Amino acid sequence: DMIKLITPFENVSKTTRTIILVSWIVFLLALWFLMTMGEKRLFPAPEQVFLGFKELFNEGLVVHIFNSLKLCFISIILAVILSMIFAYSWPLPLLKPVSEFVTKLRFLPFTGLSFFITMVVQDARNMQVWILVIFLTTFLTTSLISVISAIPQEEFDHAKSLKCSRWEILWQVIILGRIDYVIDVIRQNLAITWMMLVTVESIVVASGGLGFLIKNSDKFMNHGRIIALQIIILLIGLFLDWFINYLRKAFFRYSKI
């Protein structure tokens, strides 16, 4: 049985996968306890992290989580709308250069982008939103155009054989026919949003959020709180990823993704 666990592409039962996952978690926790027993510590001790959780909760952790989630959802909704406009106009020869130009903006440095937006937008919350929207739109547009490019020619030929017009092909094959792919692209890019959100909040701290808490904890060298916040951010990110994937499977049961 042990040979199967180190054999490539071996199918294992759900129970076996659960046992493997739990074993790794127990191993990591044991390693964490062992590495923090001496005088020199690479990570803060578990009791420091637990104390960090308690301090954060008493200082309004729930409110900061809500602020971060609100910023995340507003940014991703706006970015999805803009990205879909750019991506679905990509097949039009007149607008194709515009869409491709947007995809190239993903190579711009984050610092330069935030500096430009701070010159245009004065409100701290709007500043955070538009930094994330512009940053995320470039990646979402790139992913959506890749989805459109990967559509087999047979699907277009099939639509033509049904006497569909060019606009009907765009609607039926590209837009309606790939909605499940769009949701999966959003799920993949949500991880980028959640990661960058903390960075943006640490740059513009006026509106609070998890990034503000991390920067504040780092200022006072409170490593227990920093690790506690990292765990919270990771768990929320994993939940959001699972939830969007669950919605995609619930609404598109026959999706091939």
Side-chain angles (χ1 to χ4, degrees):
D1 290 337
M2 288 299 297
I3 298 298
K4 290 184 178 180
L5 298 181
I6 56 173
T7 302
F9 311 113
E10 182 68 31
N11 292 322
V12 295
S13 65
K14 188 175 181 180
T15 304
T16 304
R17 289 198 300 268
T18 303
I19 293 173
I20 293 172
L21 178 60
V22 172
S23 300
W24 276 111
I25 293 174
V26 171
F27 171 75
L28 290 174
L29 289 174
L31 187 65
W32 182 17
F33 275 91
L34 289 172
M35 292 179 65
T36 56
M37 289 177 64
E39 294 183 2
K40 293 184 178 180
R41 298 173 178 178
L42 183 61
F43 294 102
E47 56 268 20
Q48 290 178 277
V49 177
F50 294 141
L51 180 61
F53 277 116
K54 184 178 178 181
E55 292 176 352
L56 288 167
F57 184 79
N58 292 333
E59 293 176 16
L61 174 64
V62 176
V63 176
H64 287 287
I65 290 176
F66 177 78
N67 286 336
S68 292
L69 287 172
K70 183 180 177 182
L71 174 59
C72 179
F73 290 139
I74 291 173
S75 302
I76 201 157
I77 289 171
L78 292 174
V80 166
I81 293 172
L82 290 174
S83 301
M84 292 176 75
I85 292 172
F86 288 126
Y88 294 147
S89 63
W90 179 73
L92 308 178
L94 180 64
L95 300 177
K96 188 172 185 176
V98 178
S99 301
E100 292 185 345
F101 175 73
V102 171
T103 65
K104 303 300 185 289
L105 294 178
R106 68 187 188 277
F107 296 106
L108 283 177
F110 184 75
T111 306
L113 179 64
S114 58
F115 173 75
F116 173 75
I117 293 177
T118 53
M119 295 175 60
V120 178
V121 182
Q122 302 300 323
D123 180 67
R125 173 58 73 178
N126 290 332
M127 196 183 303
Q128 291 174 339
V129 168
W130 284 108
I131 290 174
L132 284 171
V133 167
I134 294 174
F135 184 82
L136 183 59
T137 298
T138 60
F139 285 93
L140 273 173
T141 304
T142 304
S143 300
L144 290 175
I145 289 177
S146 297
V147 168
I148 296 172
S149 302
I151 298 176
Q153 183 61 37
E154 289 79 7
E155 294 190 29
F156 294 104
D157 294 338
H158 178 69
K160 290 177 183 177
S161 68
L162 297 175
K163 307 299 182 181
C164 293
S165 67
R166 300 289 182 89
W167 289 102
E168 287 174 334
I169 292 174
L170 176 65
W171 175 252
Q172 294 291 340
V173 178
I174 294 179
I175 299 177
L176 290 183
R178 288 297 182 274
I179 290 181
D180 54 332
Y181 286 79
V182 171
I183 295 176
D184 195 61
V185 165
I186 293 171
R187 181 183 68 83
Q188 294 172 16
N189 284 271
L190 182 65
I192 300 175
T193 311
W194 191 243
M195 177 190 69
M196 294 307 304
L197 177 137
V198 175
T199 306
V200 170
E201 287 179 334
S202 64
I203 294 174
V204 188
V205 298
S207 299
L210 295 172
F212 164 76
L213 291 177
I214 285 183
K215 186 165 186 175
N216 197 41
S217 301
D218 184 55
K219 185 187 299 183
F220 295 102
M221 300 293 289
N222 194 329
H223 297 140
R225 285 179 50 152
I226 293 174
I227 297 298
L229 284 165
Q230 295 285 358
I231 294 172
I232 292 168
I233 291 167
L234 176 63
L235 292 176
I236 294 174
L238 291 173
F239 172 76
L240 292 174
D241 184 81
W242 170 85
F243 183 68
I244 293 178
N245 197 40
Y246 172 80
L247 289 179
R248 180 183 63 79
K249 290 180 178 179
F251 286 104
F252 305 96
R253 296 182 180 180
Y254 302 103
S255 175
K256 296 180 181 179
I257 302 177

